[in-house]
Amino acid sequence: MKITSFYPIIVSSGTDEIVRLFEDLGFEKRHHNQEVADRPSYQMKDAGGFRVDAVQNDGLSHDQVIIRMNVDNFEEAHAVLQAHGFKDGPRILDVRSSKAMGMVSPTGFIIGLVEHKKVHD
């Protein structure tokens, strides 16, 4: 298994404000995805290559930060995290472009495990 990227996701009911903040910090929207659960999701990147995702969730009383871990093999990474006591989140999101699931550590932090699929049209 290879980790291809590793960065924060901010889940918030105020995604527009988060996007404006990070734009003021020099980040640009690189990708907008509405494929996942019909929620706006933005991937942002700065000139130094740093990334942050902002995902809308109107059901939260406060923001949540998740560590996004993109991998080349979902099943292998899933097994490694389980071996370290991580528990599966409520569901695996398997869409055309990716397979993803939140996994909760024994102490409560969350890793958003993601494998991008090779999509050829």
Side-chain angles (χ1 to χ4, degrees):
M1 171 206 66
K2 178 182 173 189
I3 296 173
T4 57
S5 60
F6 195 84
Y7 55 92
I9 301 171
I10 302 171
V11 183
S12 175
S13 60
T15 303
D16 291 338
E17 294 171 24
I18 290 170
V19 167
R20 282 193 299 275
L21 166 65
F22 279 91
E23 285 175 334
D24 287 348
L25 293 170
F27 285 73
E28 295 180 3
K29 287 188 270 189
R30 306 298 279 188
H31 183 62
H32 176 238
N33 185 4
Q34 290 245 197
E35 183 178 31
V36 179
D38 236 9
R39 296 179 184 166
S41 172
Y42 301 94
Q43 186 178 91
M44 302 182 77
K45 187 176 179 181
D46 77 351
F50 293 104
R51 294 175 187 246
V52 64
D53 284 359
V55 177
Q56 183 74 26
N57 185 337
D58 295 328
L60 295 178
S61 60
H62 61 278
D63 293 350
Q64 185 177 42
V65 178
I66 298 170
I67 301 167
R68 178 177 176 141
M69 185 170 76
N70 292 339
V71 296
D72 67 346
N73 186 313
F74 183 93
E75 285 74 21
E76 188 177 351
H78 182 252
V80 168
L81 292 174
Q82 281 185 322
H84 284 273
F86 280 73
K87 301 293 182 202
D88 291 355
R91 68 182 195 276
I92 292 177
L93 205 56
D94 198 349
V95 295
R96 182 175 177 258
S97 62
S98 63
K99 184 174 185 177
M101 178 175 47
M103 297 189 71
V104 182
S105 78
T107 58
F109 74 89
I110 301 170
I111 289 183
L113 181 60
V114 180
E115 178 185 349
H116 289 283
K117 298 175 184 176
K118 307 289 188 252
V119 178
H120 302 284
D121 289 334

